[in-house]
Amino acid sequence: MTERVREIMSILASESISVDHEKRKRIYFTVKPEQIRSICQRLSSENLRLSTMTAVESLRRFELIYHFSDDRTGYYFCPRVYTGLENPEVPSISNEIVGASWIEREIHDLFGVAFHGHPDLKPLLKEDNENIPELPLRVKRREEHVD
Amino acid sequence: MSTDFNLPVGPFHPLLEEAEFFKIKLEGEVVADIEMETGWMHRGIEKISEQGTFDQSIFAVERICGICSASHPFACVNAFEDIDDTDVPVRARYVRTMVGELERIHSHLLWLGLAGHFIGYDTLWMWAWKYREPVLDIIEKTTGNRNHYAMFRIGGVRRDYDNSLSAELNEKLDYVERKLTMVAKAAMDDPVLKSRLSGVGVLSKEAAINYCAVGPTARASGIAIDVRKDEPYAAYDLVEFDVVVQEAGDVFAKTVVRILEIFESIKIIRQCIKALAKVSGSILNDVESIPAGEGIGRHEAPRGEVFHYIRTDGSNRPVRHKIRAPSYVNIPTYKASCVGENLADVLITLAAVDPCYCCTERSVRLQDDHGKELTESLLKRSQDRTDELIRELGEYKAWRYL
């Protein structure tokens, strides 16, 4: 682990964030939704590049992974945020990182996650396209699975 | 009378045959704002990948793009291999590198030709595409296909490189390099081209960072990022090459970055051919199953970093497969590079990030061993071959075979 990676890890430790798992050059850690904006801002100010965000729907909760690339060391720092399955919502980071705007619009479009504070959360892919079903990447509604 | 004017461009792009829609707000002839709409090409590939097995995922992502048909499977296998730290044989690593670099050359030449065409420099267009053909020939000889090479498998590659091709390939590379040196001079030293493209569509370093731009779009704005150097994969830690960076951020800088990268790629391919002559052994570490876990795979595609995130649960298909192509982060930079520009400069600025479109058209001269043109008799040859098959197999079997 290089000096720079240790530096970034100490930033996370100062916010009392513990690492979920670390493998080769991938570091995954969980943060609370109310922390995500400040953490992303800290990582961005350390010249980490937001590569993209991944939304994952599991049985009991909804998960968002932010992939930050440290291009100097080749490390990926990935904060995760968990939110409820019904009406998932997290704070938007588009005002801090302009590049997140399209990513949040797409996740809102395909998964229905509300990003609070996004300047213009209009559909990215589905606008005026009635051929794409409602929230296409969500698992089918739970009630249909129950019976 | 108000001088504000909204100009719709697309959704069938007047430059590239790709569906994107731009709403350009003009004040006189100057761009005041630009809005983009996408979604016409959405095919739900992430969903398709999650419904198939791992091998089918690689097949599906190869079809995201015709030009980047090595980039997505490259990043995809990197992600699968990241889950279980799969070792890839050295020979397969060299073959992967070679395919990735050949793709970069033909993709950059395609863009260079189109850029020349868009600004009315058709000679550059014809030259660039003419000398792209021998590169595609090399790709066809080594992989079997001009596009959709189907070379990538988890743990290695599907086909081995035939060492007996090396002499011919080196000869072709020498030819391509010689001709491209001439093309590079015609582009970089041309005073008209320089004055047409310098200072046009400038993307500042700050804007490129804020928009999270990647690839030549970022490197032309002074950001030295390249996955091949930052986190070497395949055989990129075993070959020597330089990362090309320019500071100006304008369309001319993007052109220079791409042209110089072509020569770096030729350098890498030569090193791969040399190494493959010495490195023997397997090309595949056969992976039987992939455990539950998550992996990130990336590849420096011609347009920048391709990113794949895959989560598995121990079954034979991904639970989640996230894909981020470089154009996805490069296209929004239009908002920074087009506003304040003259309308006449907007279209070349839009084209300068090299938004991706499929090219599979085949235009190649066919000659027999004596140099005689075969193109004219191609239809007859095809009909003769069909008749021959019918005679051999009978009509029913022949049509099933065809």
Side-chain angles (χ1 to χ4, degrees), chain A residues 32-49:
Chain A
K32 293 187 189 104
E34 56 272 22
Q35 275 179 305
I36 190 66
R37 191 175 273 163
S38 68
I39 291 292
C40 289
Q41 217 163 0
R42 289 292 293 273
L43 293 176
S44 181
S45 64
E46 287 296 321
N47 288 326
L48 266 64
R49 173 174 56 83

Side-chain angles (χ1 to χ4, degrees), chain A residues 21 23-26 28 47 49-56 63 65 67 69-76 78 80 96-100 102-103 105-106 110-111 122 124-129 132 136-138, chain B residues 23 35-40 42 46-47 50 78 81-85 209-214 224-227 230-232 294-298 305 307 309 311 319-324 327-329 331-332:
Chain A
H21 71 265
K23 194 183 64 175
R24 243 167 26 104
K25 290 185 169 183
R26 317 283 184 242
Y28 296 91
N47 288 326
R49 173 174 56 83
L50 177 70
S51 195
T52 192
M53 289 155 60
T54 304
V56 187
E63 179 182 342
I65 312 170
H67 305 283
S69 170
D70 182 20
D71 297 317
R72 287 192 227 167
T73 58
Y75 270 71
Y76 253 94
C78 305
R80 299 175 205 271
E96 289 78 24
I97 305 167
V98 182
W102 271 32
I103 302 168
R105 278 174 62 192
E106 186 189 330
L110 303 180
F111 288 91
K122 61 184 181 185
L124 180 74
L125 300 168
K126 277 173 48 191
E127 194 170 24
D128 302 325
N129 194 338
I132 301 178
L137 285 188
R138 287 296 296 263
Chain B
K23 280 186 263 184
E35 276 294 322
M36 292 142 283
E37 281 181 22
T38 60
W40 282 272
H42 184 68
E46 288 180 16
K47 191 79 178 167
E50 287 161 19
N78 281 345
E81 287 158 6
D82 185 47
I83 295 172
D84 200 18
D85 281 339
I209 292 172
N210 209 5
Y211 278 91
C212 310
V214 292
I225 54 170
D226 191 321
V227 186
D230 302 336
E231 194 199 357
E294 53 192 339
I296 290 172
R298 47 192 189 142
E305 179 205 43
F307 175 96
Y309 169 87
R311 181 178 290 186
V319 178
R320 180 81 179 98
H321 188 170
K322 170 71 188 173
I323 301 160
R324 203 269 289 131
S327 292
Y328 189 90
V329 281
I331 288 174

Side-chain angles (χ1 to χ4, degrees), chain B residues 147-160:
Chain B
N147 288 96
H148 302 309
Y149 322 113
M151 286 293 275
F152 292 86
R153 271 186 76 175
I154 303 165
V157 286
R158 207 172 284 276
R159 288 176 220 97
D160 200 357

Side-chain angles (χ1 to χ4, degrees), chain A residues 53-69:
Chain A
M53 289 155 60
T54 304
V56 187
E57 183 183 356
S58 54
L59 271 175
R60 289 184 188 79
R61 56 191 181 178
F62 206 90
E63 179 182 342
L64 278 172
I65 312 170
Y66 298 68
H67 305 283
F68 279 92
S69 170

Side-chain angles (χ1 to χ4, degrees), chain B residues 236-401:
Chain B
Y236 286 112
D237 52 345
L238 304 172
V239 292
E240 279 179 22
F241 66 99
D242 294 322
V243 176
V244 183
V245 181
Q246 293 279 310
E247 299 294 330
D250 54 10
V251 180
F252 190 71
K254 291 185 177 87
T255 313
V256 172
V257 166
R258 291 197 178 96
I259 290 174
L260 296 180
E261 278 185 7
I262 292 173
F263 294 102
E264 292 302 317
S265 293
I266 293 176
K267 208 161 93 184
I268 296 173
I269 295 164
R270 282 219 178 91
Q271 293 174 64
C272 288
I273 293 175
K274 213 169 161 187
L276 282 164
K278 292 179 198 153
V279 179
S280 56
S282 157
I283 53 160
L284 183 68
N285 169 16
D286 207 358
V287 176
E288 284 187 4
S289 62
I290 293 175
E294 53 192 339
I296 290 172
R298 47 192 189 142
H299 165 61
E300 185 70 27
R303 289 157 189 78
E305 179 205 43
V306 169
F307 175 96
H308 282 236
Y309 169 87
I310 295 172
R311 181 178 290 186
T312 52
D313 61 355
S315 69
N316 65 345
R317 58 189 65 198
V319 178
R320 180 81 179 98
H321 188 170
K322 170 71 188 173
I323 301 160
R324 203 269 289 131
S327 292
Y328 189 90
V329 281
N330 286 340
I331 288 174
T333 63
Y334 291 157
K335 244 185 160 41
S337 57
C338 288
V339 174
E341 291 289 325
N342 204 301
L343 179 63
D345 293 335
V346 165
L347 297 183
I348 186 64
T349 307
L350 297 181
V353 306
D354 195 5
C356 185
Y357 86 102
C358 258
C359 167
T360 49
E361 194 177 341
R362 198 183 165 106
S363 58
V364 63
R365 280 170 75 194
L366 292 178
Q367 296 178 325
D368 67 9
D369 294 342
H370 309 291
K372 191 182 165 226
E373 293 281 346
L374 296 175
T375 318
E376 282 172 22
S377 59
L378 208 57
L379 179 65
K380 189 170 178 312
R381 284 167 66 85
S382 165
Q383 287 165 343
D384 288 350
R385 176 76 183 132
T386 309
D387 291 344
E388 200 181 300
L389 280 172
I390 290 172
R391 269 199 305 279
E392 268 176 32
L393 303 169
E395 194 144 358
Y396 176 73
K397 268 193 178 169
W399 287 117
R400 278 186 63 116
Y401 174 75

Side-chain angles (χ1 to χ4, degrees), chain B residues 72-231:
Chain B
H72 285 285
F74 209 147
C76 184
V77 294
N78 281 345
F80 279 124
E81 287 158 6
D82 185 47
I83 295 172
D84 200 18
D85 281 339
T86 312
D87 281 326
V88 181
V90 181
R91 192 169 170 84
R93 286 165 59 194
Y94 274 112
V95 175
R96 283 183 179 184
T97 307
M98 197 171 153
V99 174
E101 292 312 304
L102 283 165
E103 183 179 79
R104 190 179 322 280
I105 301 177
H106 92 73
S107 175
H108 280 355
L109 282 176
L110 181 116
W111 178 84
L112 184 64
L114 286 174
H117 177 56
F118 297 153
I119 56 169
Y121 190 179
D122 278 351
T123 311
L124 183 63
W125 169 41
M126 289 174 201
W127 274 344
W129 283 39
K130 182 179 175 186
Y131 302 123
R132 180 174 169 257
E133 281 303 317
V135 180
L136 289 172
D137 287 344
I138 296 175
I139 295 176
E140 190 168 17
K141 277 211 186 287
T142 48
T143 69
N145 281 320
R146 283 160 63 93
N147 288 96
H148 302 309
Y149 322 113
M151 286 293 275
F152 292 86
R153 271 186 76 175
I154 303 165
V157 286
R158 207 172 284 276
R159 288 176 220 97
D160 200 357
Y161 169 73
D162 181 359
N163 282 331
S164 68
L165 291 171
S166 297
E168 189 187 343
L169 258 50
N170 276 323
E171 207 175 291
K172 270 192 193 276
L173 281 175
D174 288 345
Y175 170 78
V176 169
E177 190 174 25
R178 207 168 50 243
K179 293 295 180 187
L180 290 182
T181 308
M182 182 263 293
V183 175
K185 279 184 186 162
M188 295 197 298
D189 298 343
D190 188 296
V192 179
L193 197 79
K194 206 168 182 173
S195 57
R196 174 71 185 83
L197 301 179
S198 294
V200 169
V202 177
L203 179 69
S204 68
K205 190 172 179 175
E206 294 71 36
I209 292 172
N210 209 5
Y211 278 91
C212 310
V214 292
T217 307
R219 289 195 285 276
S221 295
I223 306 170
I225 54 170
D226 191 321
V227 186
R228 298 174 295 171
K229 279 276 189 222
D230 302 336
E231 194 199 357

